[in-house]
Amino acid sequence: MESRKKQQQPRSNKIEFILGGLSSSGAGLFTNPLEVVKTRMQLQGELKAKGLYTVHYRHVFHAFYTIAKNDGFLALQNGLVPALWYQFFMNGVRLGSFQIFDNMGFTRGKDGRVSFPQSVLAGALAGCIGAAVGSPFYMVKTQLQAQATEAIAVGYQHKHYGLIQGLSTTYRDFGICGMWRGVSGALPRVTIGSAIQLSTFSTSKAFIVNTKIFPSNSWLNALLASMISGVLVTLFMTPFDVVSTRLYNQGIDANGRGLYYSGPLNCFSKIFKSEGIWGFYKGWGPSFTRLVPHTILSLVLWTEFRKYYFYYQEIAN
């Protein structure tokens, strides 16, 4: 009787955050080079019309070659340390919060089935919280990934040496508010991306499981659902991703104001006027090739980590 009660106790919220963070960090380790390429391509030709700037990076493969040739092969892992910490904190909070909402029944209707509108709301809220928590790491990550030799440099060059130096310099020069510079662009980016990713993943997975194509506990259910989710995330999140990258990487004057943009709306307006609609989809190639595998890896790992952790916990109890 006691063991039964033990098994029915609520699952620890702390472990939900840890498992979510570990799964996304594992994915980030493999997809960071694509993040470097994506960042460079999003900053290329900033606020300039097509044909009025030098194209250093023509496409994903050319960007890989150009970076390796000019900056060295290891430059493809620029910003890896802050990227992994960002994944751990942002996605740990995001995935953990979403799972807690799911455990509490917020993502399900009265019939117990996954509700798409409620999943969208839960995913958006979880993403908003995660973006705010991980923002300082994302800022330094972006600035490190943008750094390049003069021959292929794009965007503002911050000259950081690493995560600690980047954070300490920002805090010294601009205080605690400077640590969260760019968060106004990150919130809509992650909120929209998270709402689409987690809602489409949960509803797709529930549908796939119900079709019984694969066994109900098979990792292939999560794989197929995450592939669907990754495609949709890329389509809807890329414009917000471009804006977020620009806001985080722009230079700052002595008063702590951005040299190019005053905020997300101003950034959207300036990009549209100078670069057109296509400006919002710069770097969509590496964004897609990064987001889809990252979505697949993080969500499949998250699903498998949770499955095995709670399985062995039940055995232990």
Side-chain angles (χ1 to χ4, degrees), residues 24 27-28 30-36 38 60 83 86-87 90-91 138 141 189 233-234 237 241 283-297:
S24 295
F30 296 100
T31 60
N32 189 63
L34 287 163
E35 182 79 5
V36 173
K38 182 209 72 168
V60 179
Y86 169 73
Q87 290 295 336
M90 190 280 283
N91 277 315
Y138 194 89
K141 173 199 76 74
R189 170 189 176 270
V233 169
T234 305
M237 198 175 79
D241 197 26
W284 74 268
S287 184
F288 176 79
T289 51
R290 177 239 168 218
L291 270 173
V292 173
H294 187 275
T295 299
I296 292 170
L297 282 169

PDB file of all heavy atoms in Angstrom, residues 24 27-28 30-36 38 60 83 86-87 90-91 138 141 189 233-234 237 241 283-297:
ATOM      1  N   SER A  24      18.293  19.568 -24.373  1.00  0.00           N
ATOM      2  CA  SER A  24      18.563  20.658 -25.317  1.00  0.00           C
ATOM      3  C   SER A  24      20.043  20.976 -25.424  1.00  0.00           C
ATOM      4  O   SER A  24      20.535  21.334 -26.492  1.00  0.00           O
ATOM      5  CB  SER A  24      17.791  21.910 -24.897  1.00  0.00           C
ATOM      6  OG  SER A  24      16.406  21.684 -24.992  1.00  0.00           O
ATOM      7  N   ALA A  27      21.548  18.480 -27.725  1.00  0.00           N
ATOM      8  CA  ALA A  27      21.256  18.822 -29.116  1.00  0.00           C
ATOM      9  C   ALA A  27      22.118  19.992 -29.581  1.00  0.00           C
ATOM     10  O   ALA A  27      22.640  20.001 -30.702  1.00  0.00           O
ATOM     11  CB  ALA A  27      19.774  19.164 -29.268  1.00  0.00           C
ATOM     12  N   GLY A  28      22.293  20.987 -28.706  1.00  0.00           N
ATOM     13  CA  GLY A  28      23.064  22.186 -29.049  1.00  0.00           C
ATOM     14  C   GLY A  28      24.516  21.902 -29.347  1.00  0.00           C
ATOM     15  O   GLY A  28      25.154  22.609 -30.138  1.00  0.00           O
ATOM     16  N   PHE A  30      25.710  19.547 -31.082  1.00  0.00           N
ATOM     17  CA  PHE A  30      25.848  19.125 -32.478  1.00  0.00           C
ATOM     18  C   PHE A  30      25.399  20.196 -33.474  1.00  0.00           C
ATOM     19  O   PHE A  30      25.876  20.231 -34.609  1.00  0.00           O
ATOM     20  CB  PHE A  30      25.043  17.847 -32.715  1.00  0.00           C
ATOM     21  CG  PHE A  30      25.544  16.667 -31.932  1.00  0.00           C
ATOM     22  CD1 PHE A  30      24.920  16.280 -30.755  1.00  0.00           C
ATOM     23  CD2 PHE A  30      26.657  15.962 -32.356  1.00  0.00           C
ATOM     24  CE1 PHE A  30      25.382  15.196 -30.016  1.00  0.00           C
ATOM     25  CE2 PHE A  30      27.139  14.876 -31.628  1.00  0.00           C
ATOM     26  CZ  PHE A  30      26.496  14.499 -30.456  1.00  0.00           C
ATOM     27  N   THR A  31      24.477  21.065 -33.061  1.00  0.00           N
ATOM     28  CA  THR A  31      23.905  22.033 -34.013  1.00  0.00           C
ATOM     29  C   THR A  31      24.527  23.426 -33.910  1.00  0.00           C
ATOM     30  O   THR A  31      24.174  24.307 -34.691  1.00  0.00           O
ATOM     31  CB  THR A  31      22.388  22.144 -33.808  1.00  0.00           C
ATOM     32  OG1 THR A  31      22.096  22.575 -32.467  1.00  0.00           O
ATOM     33  CG2 THR A  31      21.688  20.810 -34.051  1.00  0.00           C
ATOM     34  N   ASN A  32      25.470  23.645 -32.993  1.00  0.00           N
ATOM     35  CA  ASN A  32      26.059  24.980 -32.834  1.00  0.00           C
ATOM     36  C   ASN A  32      26.737  25.511 -34.097  1.00  0.00           C
ATOM     37  O   ASN A  32      26.620  26.706 -34.396  1.00  0.00           O
ATOM     38  CB  ASN A  32      27.044  25.000 -31.661  1.00  0.00           C
ATOM     39  CG  ASN A  32      27.498  26.405 -31.323  1.00  0.00           C
ATOM     40  OD1 ASN A  32      26.703  27.255 -30.929  1.00  0.00           O
ATOM     41  ND2 ASN A  32      28.777  26.673 -31.492  1.00  0.00           N
ATOM     42  N   PRO A  33      27.473  24.681 -34.871  1.00  0.00           N
ATOM     43  CA  PRO A  33      28.072  25.218 -36.112  1.00  0.00           C
ATOM     44  C   PRO A  33      27.031  25.816 -37.056  1.00  0.00           C
ATOM     45  O   PRO A  33      27.285  26.830 -37.713  1.00  0.00           O
ATOM     46  CB  PRO A  33      28.733  23.979 -36.735  1.00  0.00           C
ATOM     47  CG  PRO A  33      29.065  23.115 -35.576  1.00  0.00           C
ATOM     48  CD  PRO A  33      27.919  23.300 -34.625  1.00  0.00           C
ATOM     49  N   LEU A  34      25.852  25.212 -37.118  1.00  0.00           N
ATOM     50  CA  LEU A  34      24.780  25.767 -37.950  1.00  0.00           C
ATOM     51  C   LEU A  34      24.262  27.078 -37.373  1.00  0.00           C
ATOM     52  O   LEU A  34      23.850  27.976 -38.106  1.00  0.00           O
ATOM     53  CB  LEU A  34      23.635  24.758 -38.064  1.00  0.00           C
ATOM     54  CG  LEU A  34      23.923  23.556 -38.968  1.00  0.00           C
ATOM     55  CD1 LEU A  34      22.927  22.429 -38.706  1.00  0.00           C
ATOM     56  CD2 LEU A  34      23.882  23.959 -40.432  1.00  0.00           C
ATOM     57  N   GLU A  35      24.325  27.209 -36.059  1.00  0.00           N
ATOM     58  CA  GLU A  35      23.926  28.455 -35.408  1.00  0.00           C
ATOM     59  C   GLU A  35      24.911  29.568 -35.744  1.00  0.00           C
ATOM     60  O   GLU A  35      24.519  30.720 -35.959  1.00  0.00           O
ATOM     61  CB  GLU A  35      23.856  28.239 -33.891  1.00  0.00           C
ATOM     62  CG  GLU A  35      23.402  29.442 -33.102  1.00  0.00           C
ATOM     63  CD  GLU A  35      21.903  29.664 -33.118  1.00  0.00           C
ATOM     64  OE1 GLU A  35      21.173  28.825 -33.665  1.00  0.00           O
ATOM     65  OE2 GLU A  35      21.461  30.701 -32.595  1.00  0.00           O
ATOM     66  N   VAL A  36      26.192  29.231 -35.806  1.00  0.00           N
ATOM     67  CA  VAL A  36      27.223  30.214 -36.195  1.00  0.00           C
ATOM     68  C   VAL A  36      26.962  30.698 -37.618  1.00  0.00           C
ATOM     69  O   VAL A  36      26.967  31.908 -37.891  1.00  0.00           O
ATOM     70  CB  VAL A  36      28.637  29.594 -36.094  1.00  0.00           C
ATOM     71  CG1 VAL A  36      29.679  30.555 -36.671  1.00  0.00           C
ATOM     72  CG2 VAL A  36      28.972  29.260 -34.651  1.00  0.00           C
ATOM     73  N   LYS A  38      24.146  30.562 -39.318  1.00  0.00           N
ATOM     74  CA  LYS A  38      22.870  31.288 -39.340  1.00  0.00           C
ATOM     75  C   LYS A  38      23.061  32.725 -38.865  1.00  0.00           C
ATOM     76  O   LYS A  38      22.568  33.677 -39.489  1.00  0.00           O
ATOM     77  CB  LYS A  38      21.861  30.573 -38.441  1.00  0.00           C
ATOM     78  CG  LYS A  38      20.476  31.219 -38.427  1.00  0.00           C
ATOM     79  CD  LYS A  38      19.768  30.974 -37.104  1.00  0.00           C
ATOM     80  CE  LYS A  38      20.387  31.790 -36.007  1.00  0.00           C
ATOM     81  NZ  LYS A  38      19.608  31.826 -34.767  1.00  0.00           N
ATOM     82  N   VAL A  60      24.528  27.823 -47.120  1.00  0.00           N
ATOM     83  CA  VAL A  60      25.023  27.090 -45.949  1.00  0.00           C
ATOM     84  C   VAL A  60      26.407  26.496 -46.191  1.00  0.00           C
ATOM     85  O   VAL A  60      27.334  26.704 -45.393  1.00  0.00           O
ATOM     86  CB  VAL A  60      24.045  25.957 -45.554  1.00  0.00           C
ATOM     87  CG1 VAL A  60      24.588  25.175 -44.356  1.00  0.00           C
ATOM     88  CG2 VAL A  60      22.678  26.528 -45.209  1.00  0.00           C
ATOM     89  N   ALA A  83      26.302  29.065 -25.610  1.00  0.00           N
ATOM     90  CA  ALA A  83      25.191  28.405 -26.304  1.00  0.00           C
ATOM     91  C   ALA A  83      24.668  27.235 -25.484  1.00  0.00           C
ATOM     92  O   ALA A  83      23.445  27.038 -25.362  1.00  0.00           O
ATOM     93  CB  ALA A  83      25.637  27.915 -27.685  1.00  0.00           C
ATOM     94  N   TYR A  86      22.944  28.582 -22.424  1.00  0.00           N
ATOM     95  CA  TYR A  86      21.649  29.119 -22.843  1.00  0.00           C
ATOM     96  C   TYR A  86      20.639  27.996 -23.039  1.00  0.00           C
ATOM     97  O   TYR A  86      19.498  28.077 -22.568  1.00  0.00           O
ATOM     98  CB  TYR A  86      21.809  29.913 -24.146  1.00  0.00           C
ATOM     99  CG  TYR A  86      20.483  30.279 -24.793  1.00  0.00           C
ATOM    100  CD1 TYR A  86      19.674  31.273 -24.250  1.00  0.00           C
ATOM    101  CD2 TYR A  86      20.036  29.616 -25.946  1.00  0.00           C
ATOM    102  CE1 TYR A  86      18.464  31.608 -24.830  1.00  0.00           C
ATOM    103  CE2 TYR A  86      18.831  29.940 -26.525  1.00  0.00           C
ATOM    104  CZ  TYR A  86      18.047  30.937 -25.961  1.00  0.00           C
ATOM    105  OH  TYR A  86      16.831  31.249 -26.537  1.00  0.00           O
ATOM    106  N   GLN A  87      21.049  26.941 -23.733  1.00  0.00           N
ATOM    107  CA  GLN A  87      20.156  25.811 -23.956  1.00  0.00           C
ATOM    108  C   GLN A  87      19.715  25.201 -22.634  1.00  0.00           C
ATOM    109  O   GLN A  87      18.537  24.856 -22.456  1.00  0.00           O
ATOM    110  CB  GLN A  87      20.845  24.744 -24.824  1.00  0.00           C
ATOM    111  CG  GLN A  87      21.070  25.142 -26.265  1.00  0.00           C
ATOM    112  CD  GLN A  87      19.779  25.340 -27.034  1.00  0.00           C
ATOM    113  OE1 GLN A  87      18.739  24.796 -26.691  1.00  0.00           O
ATOM    114  NE2 GLN A  87      19.849  26.134 -28.088  1.00  0.00           N
ATOM    115  N   MET A  90      17.515  28.181 -20.732  1.00  0.00           N
ATOM    116  CA  MET A  90      16.300  28.556 -21.457  1.00  0.00           C
ATOM    117  C   MET A  90      15.385  27.360 -21.689  1.00  0.00           C
ATOM    118  O   MET A  90      14.205  27.371 -21.342  1.00  0.00           O
ATOM    119  CB  MET A  90      16.662  29.203 -22.788  1.00  0.00           C
ATOM    120  CG  MET A  90      15.474  29.859 -23.516  1.00  0.00           C
ATOM    121  SD  MET A  90      14.386  28.729 -24.423  1.00  0.00           S
ATOM    122  CE  MET A  90      15.382  28.423 -25.872  1.00  0.00           C
ATOM    123  N   ASN A  91      15.942  26.305 -22.292  1.00  0.00           N
ATOM    124  CA  ASN A  91      15.104  25.152 -22.601  1.00  0.00           C
ATOM    125  C   ASN A  91      14.806  24.299 -21.386  1.00  0.00           C
ATOM    126  O   ASN A  91      13.798  23.583 -21.354  1.00  0.00           O
ATOM    127  CB  ASN A  91      15.744  24.313 -23.710  1.00  0.00           C
ATOM    128  CG  ASN A  91      15.427  24.867 -25.086  1.00  0.00           C
ATOM    129  OD1 ASN A  91      14.296  25.220 -25.371  1.00  0.00           O
ATOM    130  ND2 ASN A  91      16.433  24.966 -25.944  1.00  0.00           N
ATOM    131  N   TYR A 138      22.320  34.163 -24.313  1.00  0.00           N
ATOM    132  CA  TYR A 138      22.049  34.282 -25.749  1.00  0.00           C
ATOM    133  C   TYR A 138      22.753  35.507 -26.334  1.00  0.00           C
ATOM    134  O   TYR A 138      23.251  35.462 -27.460  1.00  0.00           O
ATOM    135  CB  TYR A 138      20.543  34.369 -25.999  1.00  0.00           C
ATOM    136  CG  TYR A 138      20.169  34.166 -27.442  1.00  0.00           C
ATOM    137  CD1 TYR A 138      19.916  32.894 -27.947  1.00  0.00           C
ATOM    138  CD2 TYR A 138      20.072  35.243 -28.328  1.00  0.00           C
ATOM    139  CE1 TYR A 138      19.588  32.685 -29.277  1.00  0.00           C
ATOM    140  CE2 TYR A 138      19.754  35.053 -29.660  1.00  0.00           C
ATOM    141  CZ  TYR A 138      19.501  33.771 -30.123  1.00  0.00           C
ATOM    142  OH  TYR A 138      19.185  33.590 -31.456  1.00  0.00           O
ATOM    143  N   LYS A 141      26.468  34.681 -26.658  1.00  0.00           N
ATOM    144  CA  LYS A 141      26.567  33.663 -27.712  1.00  0.00           C
ATOM    145  C   LYS A 141      26.511  34.308 -29.099  1.00  0.00           C
ATOM    146  O   LYS A 141      27.351  34.044 -29.964  1.00  0.00           O
ATOM    147  CB  LYS A 141      25.419  32.661 -27.577  1.00  0.00           C
ATOM    148  CG  LYS A 141      25.330  31.652 -28.717  1.00  0.00           C
ATOM    149  CD  LYS A 141      23.961  31.002 -28.779  1.00  0.00           C
ATOM    150  CE  LYS A 141      22.919  31.906 -29.371  1.00  0.00           C
ATOM    151  NZ  LYS A 141      23.038  32.078 -30.836  1.00  0.00           N
ATOM    152  N   ARG A 189      10.325  36.049 -30.094  1.00  0.00           N
ATOM    153  CA  ARG A 189      10.967  34.972 -30.846  1.00  0.00           C
ATOM    154  C   ARG A 189      10.714  33.619 -30.198  1.00  0.00           C
ATOM    155  O   ARG A 189      10.234  32.676 -30.837  1.00  0.00           O
ATOM    156  CB  ARG A 189      12.470  35.227 -30.929  1.00  0.00           C
ATOM    157  CG  ARG A 189      13.276  34.064 -31.484  1.00  0.00           C
ATOM    158  CD  ARG A 189      14.777  34.314 -31.330  1.00  0.00           C
ATOM    159  NE  ARG A 189      15.540  33.155 -31.768  1.00  0.00           N
ATOM    160  CZ  ARG A 189      15.893  32.145 -30.978  1.00  0.00           C
ATOM    161  NH1 ARG A 189      15.541  32.153 -29.706  1.00  0.00           N
ATOM    162  NH2 ARG A 189      16.577  31.125 -31.448  1.00  0.00           N
ATOM    163  N   VAL A 233       8.176  25.421 -37.103  1.00  0.00           N
ATOM    164  CA  VAL A 233       8.907  26.398 -36.285  1.00  0.00           C
ATOM    165  C   VAL A 233       9.778  27.283 -37.172  1.00  0.00           C
ATOM    166  O   VAL A 233       9.811  28.506 -37.015  1.00  0.00           O
ATOM    167  CB  VAL A 233       9.777  25.688 -35.229  1.00  0.00           C
ATOM    168  CG1 VAL A 233      10.732  26.669 -34.571  1.00  0.00           C
ATOM    169  CG2 VAL A 233       8.902  25.050 -34.162  1.00  0.00           C
ATOM    170  N   THR A 234      10.487  26.676 -38.120  1.00  0.00           N
ATOM    171  CA  THR A 234      11.361  27.438 -39.020  1.00  0.00           C
ATOM    172  C   THR A 234      10.573  28.476 -39.812  1.00  0.00           C
ATOM    173  O   THR A 234      11.000  29.629 -39.952  1.00  0.00           O
ATOM    174  CB  THR A 234      12.081  26.493 -40.002  1.00  0.00           C
ATOM    175  OG1 THR A 234      12.770  25.492 -39.266  1.00  0.00           O
ATOM    176  CG2 THR A 234      13.078  27.263 -40.855  1.00  0.00           C
ATOM    177  N   MET A 237       9.170  31.235 -37.151  1.00  0.00           N
ATOM    178  CA  MET A 237      10.064  31.899 -36.205  1.00  0.00           C
ATOM    179  C   MET A 237      11.205  32.675 -36.858  1.00  0.00           C
ATOM    180  O   MET A 237      11.765  33.595 -36.247  1.00  0.00           O
ATOM    181  CB  MET A 237      10.648  30.870 -35.238  1.00  0.00           C
ATOM    182  CG  MET A 237      11.231  31.507 -33.971  1.00  0.00           C
ATOM    183  SD  MET A 237      11.804  30.290 -32.770  1.00  0.00           S
ATOM    184  CE  MET A 237      13.374  29.816 -33.473  1.00  0.00           C
ATOM    185  N   ASP A 241      13.596  35.616 -35.396  1.00  0.00           N
ATOM    186  CA  ASP A 241      14.972  35.214 -35.116  1.00  0.00           C
ATOM    187  C   ASP A 241      15.949  36.240 -35.683  1.00  0.00           C
ATOM    188  O   ASP A 241      16.940  36.597 -35.034  1.00  0.00           O
ATOM    189  CB  ASP A 241      15.229  33.831 -35.723  1.00  0.00           C
ATOM    190  CG  ASP A 241      16.461  33.164 -35.158  1.00  0.00           C
ATOM    191  OD1 ASP A 241      16.833  33.487 -34.015  1.00  0.00           O
ATOM    192  OD2 ASP A 241      17.058  32.329 -35.857  1.00  0.00           O
ATOM    193  N   GLY A 283      19.274  33.822 -43.866  1.00  0.00           N
ATOM    194  CA  GLY A 283      19.726  32.718 -43.022  1.00  0.00           C
ATOM    195  C   GLY A 283      18.682  31.647 -42.793  1.00  0.00           C
ATOM    196  O   GLY A 283      18.843  30.810 -41.911  1.00  0.00           O
ATOM    197  N   TRP A 284      17.613  31.648 -43.643  1.00  0.00           N
ATOM    198  CA  TRP A 284      16.575  30.633 -43.429  1.00  0.00           C
ATOM    199  C   TRP A 284      17.101  29.226 -43.702  1.00  0.00           C
ATOM    200  O   TRP A 284      16.658  28.252 -43.082  1.00  0.00           O
ATOM    201  CB  TRP A 284      15.355  30.917 -44.321  1.00  0.00           C
ATOM    202  CG  TRP A 284      15.564  30.607 -45.783  1.00  0.00           C
ATOM    203  CD1 TRP A 284      15.995  31.467 -46.740  1.00  0.00           C
ATOM    204  CD2 TRP A 284      15.381  29.339 -46.425  1.00  0.00           C
ATOM    205  NE1 TRP A 284      16.092  30.821 -47.950  1.00  0.00           N
ATOM    206  CE2 TRP A 284      15.716  29.517 -47.787  1.00  0.00           C
ATOM    207  CE3 TRP A 284      14.961  28.075 -45.992  1.00  0.00           C
ATOM    208  CZ2 TRP A 284      15.661  28.478 -48.715  1.00  0.00           C
ATOM    209  CZ3 TRP A 284      14.910  27.034 -46.913  1.00  0.00           C
ATOM    210  CH2 TRP A 284      15.247  27.249 -48.256  1.00  0.00           C
ATOM    211  N   GLY A 285      18.094  29.117 -44.625  1.00  0.00           N
ATOM    212  CA  GLY A 285      18.668  27.809 -44.944  1.00  0.00           C
ATOM    213  C   GLY A 285      19.329  27.171 -43.732  1.00  0.00           C
ATOM    214  O   GLY A 285      18.946  26.083 -43.291  1.00  0.00           O
ATOM    215  N   PRO A 286      20.353  27.858 -43.139  1.00  0.00           N
ATOM    216  CA  PRO A 286      20.965  27.296 -41.931  1.00  0.00           C
ATOM    217  C   PRO A 286      19.989  27.251 -40.762  1.00  0.00           C
ATOM    218  O   PRO A 286      20.103  26.387 -39.894  1.00  0.00           O
ATOM    219  CB  PRO A 286      22.136  28.245 -41.645  1.00  0.00           C
ATOM    220  CG  PRO A 286      21.847  29.487 -42.405  1.00  0.00           C
ATOM    221  CD  PRO A 286      21.064  29.055 -43.608  1.00  0.00           C
ATOM    222  N   SER A 287      19.038  28.183 -40.751  1.00  0.00           N
ATOM    223  CA  SER A 287      18.033  28.170 -39.691  1.00  0.00           C
ATOM    224  C   SER A 287      17.218  26.887 -39.752  1.00  0.00           C
ATOM    225  O   SER A 287      16.966  26.223 -38.736  1.00  0.00           O
ATOM    226  CB  SER A 287      17.105  29.384 -39.817  1.00  0.00           C
ATOM    227  OG  SER A 287      16.196  29.431 -38.740  1.00  0.00           O
ATOM    228  N   PHE A 288      16.833  26.510 -40.983  1.00  0.00           N
ATOM    229  CA  PHE A 288      16.059  25.284 -41.171  1.00  0.00           C
ATOM    230  C   PHE A 288      16.911  24.057 -40.855  1.00  0.00           C
ATOM    231  O   PHE A 288      16.487  23.169 -40.109  1.00  0.00           O
ATOM    232  CB  PHE A 288      15.548  25.195 -42.610  1.00  0.00           C
ATOM    233  CG  PHE A 288      14.829  23.913 -42.924  1.00  0.00           C
ATOM    234  CD1 PHE A 288      13.512  23.731 -42.530  1.00  0.00           C
ATOM    235  CD2 PHE A 288      15.476  22.887 -43.599  1.00  0.00           C
ATOM    236  CE1 PHE A 288      12.850  22.541 -42.806  1.00  0.00           C
ATOM    237  CE2 PHE A 288      14.826  21.702 -43.887  1.00  0.00           C
ATOM    238  CZ  PHE A 288      13.507  21.524 -43.484  1.00  0.00           C
ATOM    239  N   THR A 289      18.131  24.031 -41.421  1.00  0.00           N
ATOM    240  CA  THR A 289      18.980  22.862 -41.212  1.00  0.00           C
ATOM    241  C   THR A 289      19.460  22.743 -39.767  1.00  0.00           C
ATOM    242  O   THR A 289      19.858  21.679 -39.321  1.00  0.00           O
ATOM    243  CB  THR A 289      20.215  22.900 -42.137  1.00  0.00           C
ATOM    244  OG1 THR A 289      20.873  24.173 -42.015  1.00  0.00           O
ATOM    245  CG2 THR A 289      19.819  22.689 -43.579  1.00  0.00           C
ATOM    246  N   ARG A 290      19.386  23.854 -39.023  1.00  0.00           N
ATOM    247  CA  ARG A 290      19.725  23.809 -37.602  1.00  0.00           C
ATOM    248  C   ARG A 290      18.496  23.510 -36.739  1.00  0.00           C
ATOM    249  O   ARG A 290      18.522  22.674 -35.840  1.00  0.00           O
ATOM    250  CB  ARG A 290      20.347  25.132 -37.172  1.00  0.00           C
ATOM    251  CG  ARG A 290      20.667  25.201 -35.675  1.00  0.00           C
ATOM    252  CD  ARG A 290      19.932  26.360 -35.031  1.00  0.00           C
ATOM    253  NE  ARG A 290      19.998  26.262 -33.581  1.00  0.00           N
ATOM    254  CZ  ARG A 290      18.987  26.584 -32.787  1.00  0.00           C
ATOM    255  NH1 ARG A 290      17.851  26.986 -33.293  1.00  0.00           N
ATOM    256  NH2 ARG A 290      19.100  26.477 -31.497  1.00  0.00           N
ATOM    257  N   LEU A 291      17.379  24.202 -37.032  1.00  0.00           N
ATOM    258  CA  LEU A 291      16.193  24.052 -36.191  1.00  0.00           C
ATOM    259  C   LEU A 291      15.586  22.657 -36.258  1.00  0.00           C
ATOM    260  O   LEU A 291      15.161  22.111 -35.236  1.00  0.00           O
ATOM    261  CB  LEU A 291      15.132  25.086 -36.583  1.00  0.00           C
ATOM    262  CG  LEU A 291      15.175  26.428 -35.870  1.00  0.00           C
ATOM    263  CD1 LEU A 291      14.185  27.398 -36.494  1.00  0.00           C
ATOM    264  CD2 LEU A 291      14.898  26.275 -34.378  1.00  0.00           C
ATOM    265  N   VAL A 292      15.528  22.095 -37.464  1.00  0.00           N
ATOM    266  CA  VAL A 292      14.892  20.781 -37.594  1.00  0.00           C
ATOM    267  C   VAL A 292      15.658  19.704 -36.828  1.00  0.00           C
ATOM    268  O   VAL A 292      15.078  19.011 -35.995  1.00  0.00           O
ATOM    269  CB  VAL A 292      14.699  20.405 -39.081  1.00  0.00           C
ATOM    270  CG1 VAL A 292      14.212  18.973 -39.206  1.00  0.00           C
ATOM    271  CG2 VAL A 292      13.688  21.351 -39.733  1.00  0.00           C
ATOM    272  N   PRO A 293      17.001  19.553 -37.069  1.00  0.00           N
ATOM    273  CA  PRO A 293      17.711  18.541 -36.274  1.00  0.00           C
ATOM    274  C   PRO A 293      17.747  18.869 -34.785  1.00  0.00           C
ATOM    275  O   PRO A 293      17.695  17.979 -33.941  1.00  0.00           O
ATOM    276  CB  PRO A 293      19.119  18.509 -36.868  1.00  0.00           C
ATOM    277  CG  PRO A 293      19.255  19.764 -37.638  1.00  0.00           C
ATOM    278  CD  PRO A 293      17.883  20.134 -38.090  1.00  0.00           C
ATOM    279  N   HIS A 294      17.836  20.184 -34.457  1.00  0.00           N
ATOM    280  CA  HIS A 294      17.857  20.565 -33.036  1.00  0.00           C
ATOM    281  C   HIS A 294      16.519  20.231 -32.383  1.00  0.00           C
ATOM    282  O   HIS A 294      16.482  19.721 -31.253  1.00  0.00           O
ATOM    283  CB  HIS A 294      18.148  22.065 -32.882  1.00  0.00           C
ATOM    284  CG  HIS A 294      18.337  22.483 -31.454  1.00  0.00           C
ATOM    285  ND1 HIS A 294      17.286  22.805 -30.631  1.00  0.00           N
ATOM    286  CD2 HIS A 294      19.463  22.594 -30.696  1.00  0.00           C
ATOM    287  CE1 HIS A 294      17.749  23.122 -29.436  1.00  0.00           C
ATOM    288  NE2 HIS A 294      19.058  22.993 -29.445  1.00  0.00           N
ATOM    289  N   THR A 295      15.432  20.517 -33.099  1.00  0.00           N
ATOM    290  CA  THR A 295      14.105  20.178 -32.575  1.00  0.00           C
ATOM    291  C   THR A 295      13.979  18.673 -32.397  1.00  0.00           C
ATOM    292  O   THR A 295      13.507  18.193 -31.353  1.00  0.00           O
ATOM    293  CB  THR A 295      13.005  20.689 -33.532  1.00  0.00           C
ATOM    294  OG1 THR A 295      13.095  22.121 -33.628  1.00  0.00           O
ATOM    295  CG2 THR A 295      11.620  20.318 -33.020  1.00  0.00           C
ATOM    296  N   ILE A 296      14.416  17.929 -33.420  1.00  0.00           N
ATOM    297  CA  ILE A 296      14.320  16.469 -33.351  1.00  0.00           C
ATOM    298  C   ILE A 296      15.161  15.927 -32.200  1.00  0.00           C
ATOM    299  O   ILE A 296      14.678  15.159 -31.367  1.00  0.00           O
ATOM    300  CB  ILE A 296      14.775  15.835 -34.684  1.00  0.00           C
ATOM    301  CG1 ILE A 296      13.766  16.164 -35.794  1.00  0.00           C
ATOM    302  CG2 ILE A 296      14.931  14.317 -34.548  1.00  0.00           C
ATOM    303  CD1 ILE A 296      14.249  15.792 -37.187  1.00  0.00           C
ATOM    304  N   LEU A 297      16.440  16.350 -32.140  1.00  0.00           N
ATOM    305  CA  LEU A 297      17.334  15.839 -31.101  1.00  0.00           C
ATOM    306  C   LEU A 297      16.852  16.197 -29.700  1.00  0.00           C
ATOM    307  O   LEU A 297      16.798  15.343 -28.809  1.00  0.00           O
ATOM    308  CB  LEU A 297      18.749  16.387 -31.313  1.00  0.00           C
ATOM    309  CG  LEU A 297      19.592  15.723 -32.400  1.00  0.00           C
ATOM    310  CD1 LEU A 297      20.849  16.538 -32.664  1.00  0.00           C
ATOM    311  CD2 LEU A 297      19.965  14.309 -31.974  1.00  0.00           C
TER     312      LEU A 297
END
